[in-house]
Amino acid sequence: MITFNHLTKQYDDTTVVDDLNLDINEGELFVLVGTSGSGKTTTLKMINRLITPTSGQVLFAKQPVESYPVRELRYNIGYVLQQIALFPTMTVGQNIALIPELKHWPKAKVHKRVNELLDSVDLPHEQYRHRYPKELSGGEQQRIGILRALASQPQVILMDEPFSALDPISRTQLQDLVLKLHDKYHQTVVFVTHDMAEAVKLGDRIGVMSHGKLLQVDTPEAIQTNPVDEFVSSFFASTTNSDGILEQPARELKTFGKATISGTVSVKSEQPIETVIAQLQVHERVNVTSDPAFSVSAAEVLQYLNERLVADKQ
């Protein structure tokens, strides 16, 4: 369905995507995961021509994306952003119906499609069709954003960190919704996230990116059992939820702090906290190089989390 052939994107002297080669299959829920600046969102935006590659090629349905008129290409590719971007002066029904109407669907077909989609995500159309975005919660607005992307039955849905601004409960509900809708409609989905736990939950396959390079592509199970390198291994093992609290399966927490590599590793202070926790999965201690420098161990992290949990209960 989507093919990247030696895809590269550069800005001046900075290479954001570096010689990427990848095939995404029709009907697949494919997740691109990586830390900030890894190139995953840039890769996503080259599919629907929001960004033009420096070299290489993106194929959509076996044709170069630049061979399609831009409007035609984007009519066949739904797009869901973190910024929900519903039109505030349009009702829920009008927001969902936008692309089908632009594609000149019959009014009766549009009306039926809107009602069907609302009912499928537990937003009864009698109650929600005529509401405005400001009358909805953040999670409900993002549901409408997903439905708008699905409404015209595009061949591909692109989802760029769509849930990262939501609370944990809404995020979990919407992850479940994506799985439900994918199982029902079988559209090809390319989902970008920095959260490996989200990637593992959603992806048929996962592509792990770092510094513009695609390090490994495989099923969640295969990456977990056979990571290509230490970065993939540590990134897979360590994820945090939106509150910054360590969020791992209980079996992994049992081994947290039991270093597989002795000694200390250093990371720069501008690196995300996920990087520190990832390194603590395999090293005894992490030095954070800043002014002044400081260091932390897995035991100290667990003590802090325990104290925070106790304080929250009081």
Side-chain angles (χ1 to χ4, degrees):
M1 175 57 69
I2 300 169
T3 298
F4 302 95
N5 286 329
H6 299 288
L7 196 69
T8 297
K9 180 62 183 178
Q10 294 176 314
Y11 293 101
D12 298 324
D13 296 329
T14 302
T15 300
V16 181
V17 177
D18 189 359
D19 194 31
L20 187 147
N21 294 280
L22 173 66
D23 290 309
I24 297 175
N25 303 318
E26 185 173 0
E28 184 174 33
L29 204 170
F30 188 91
V31 180
L32 279 173
V33 65
T35 55
S36 298
S38 62
K40 56 191 185 298
T41 291
T42 300
T43 299
L44 188 81
K45 289 182 176 180
M46 286 191 278
I47 297 173
N48 63 354
R49 294 179 61 185
L50 286 173
I51 292 177
T52 301
T54 303
S55 62
Q57 197 172 53
V58 182
L59 303 180
F60 172 61
K62 300 183 179 180
Q63 299 295 323
V65 293
E66 62 269 19
S67 70
Y68 296 91
V70 171
R71 179 175 291 188
E72 177 187 335
L73 178 72
R74 292 177 184 168
Y75 278 176
N76 285 299
I77 299 178
Y79 194 27
V80 184
L81 298 162
Q82 177 182 333
Q83 299 81 15
I84 301 165
L86 299 178
F87 293 101
T89 59
M90 298 171 64
T91 66
V92 164
Q94 290 169 334
N95 268 281
I96 297 171
L98 182 62
I99 301 302
E101 288 180 346
L102 290 173
K103 294 175 77 171
H104 305 294
W105 283 23
K107 286 187 177 181
K109 182 180 179 181
V110 174
H111 188 87
K112 180 180 178 182
R113 178 67 170 166
V114 170
N115 290 350
E116 173 193 63
L117 287 171
L118 284 169
D119 292 341
S120 73
V121 297
D122 301 320
L123 299 176
H125 69 269
E126 301 94 337
Q127 299 177 33
Y128 283 89
R129 185 185 182 107
H130 300 291
R131 293 186 184 181
Y132 287 88
K134 66 181 180 181
E135 301 176 81
L136 307 178
S137 69
E140 288 172 339
Q141 289 184 38
Q142 195 59 288
R143 288 183 185 221
I144 303 307
I146 294 170
L147 296 187
R148 185 173 62 184
L150 284 167
S152 65
Q153 299 173 323
Q155 294 172 275
V156 172
I157 307 289
L158 307 180
M159 307 187 80
D160 188 6
E161 304 212 41
F163 311 143
S164 59
L166 299 175
D167 64 87
I169 293 175
S170 295
R171 186 169 187 162
T172 298
Q173 291 173 341
L174 285 166
Q175 289 167 354
D176 293 340
L177 176 63
V178 167
L179 291 172
K180 174 184 173 182
L181 293 174
H182 182 254
D183 186 59
K184 182 173 183 178
Y185 296 111
H186 306 292
Q187 284 155 312
T188 305
V189 178
V190 186
F191 192 107
V192 162
T193 182
H194 64 272
D195 184 342
M196 184 59 99
E198 186 167 67
V200 168
K201 179 174 180 177
L202 296 178
D204 296 324
R205 288 191 302 153
I206 297 172
V208 184
M209 295 190 71
S210 179
H211 301 293
K213 290 186 176 293
L214 187 63
L215 302 181
Q216 186 170 7
V217 177
D218 218 321
T219 64
E221 296 79 11
I223 294 177
Q224 184 176 29
T225 55
N226 294 294
V228 70
D229 59 20
E230 184 180 319
F231 173 84
V232 175
S233 176
S234 59
F235 189 48
F236 191 101
S238 63
T239 57
T240 60
N241 66 18
S242 61
D243 293 323
I245 300 296
L246 191 67
E247 188 176 89
Q248 296 174 290
R251 63 180 181 277
E252 294 178 9
L253 271 177
K254 289 179 181 178
T255 61
F256 183 73
K258 297 180 180 179
T260 57
I261 299 176
S262 61
T264 300
V265 66
S266 295
V267 301
K268 294 181 179 179
S269 59
E270 59 265 27
Q271 291 295 310
I273 189 64
E274 290 92 340
T275 301
V276 176
I277 294 176
Q279 293 294 344
L280 285 172
Q281 291 296 106
V282 291
H283 294 89
E284 292 175 334
R285 197 167 193 88
V286 172
N287 287 337
V288 180
T289 57
S290 58
D291 188 17
F294 66 94
S295 66
V296 66
S297 69
E300 289 165 347
V301 171
L302 288 174
Q303 181 180 357
Y304 165 75
L305 293 176
N306 182 62
E307 290 173 352
R308 180 167 169 176
L309 288 171
V310 171
D312 287 345
K313 291 179 180 179
Q314 293 177 347

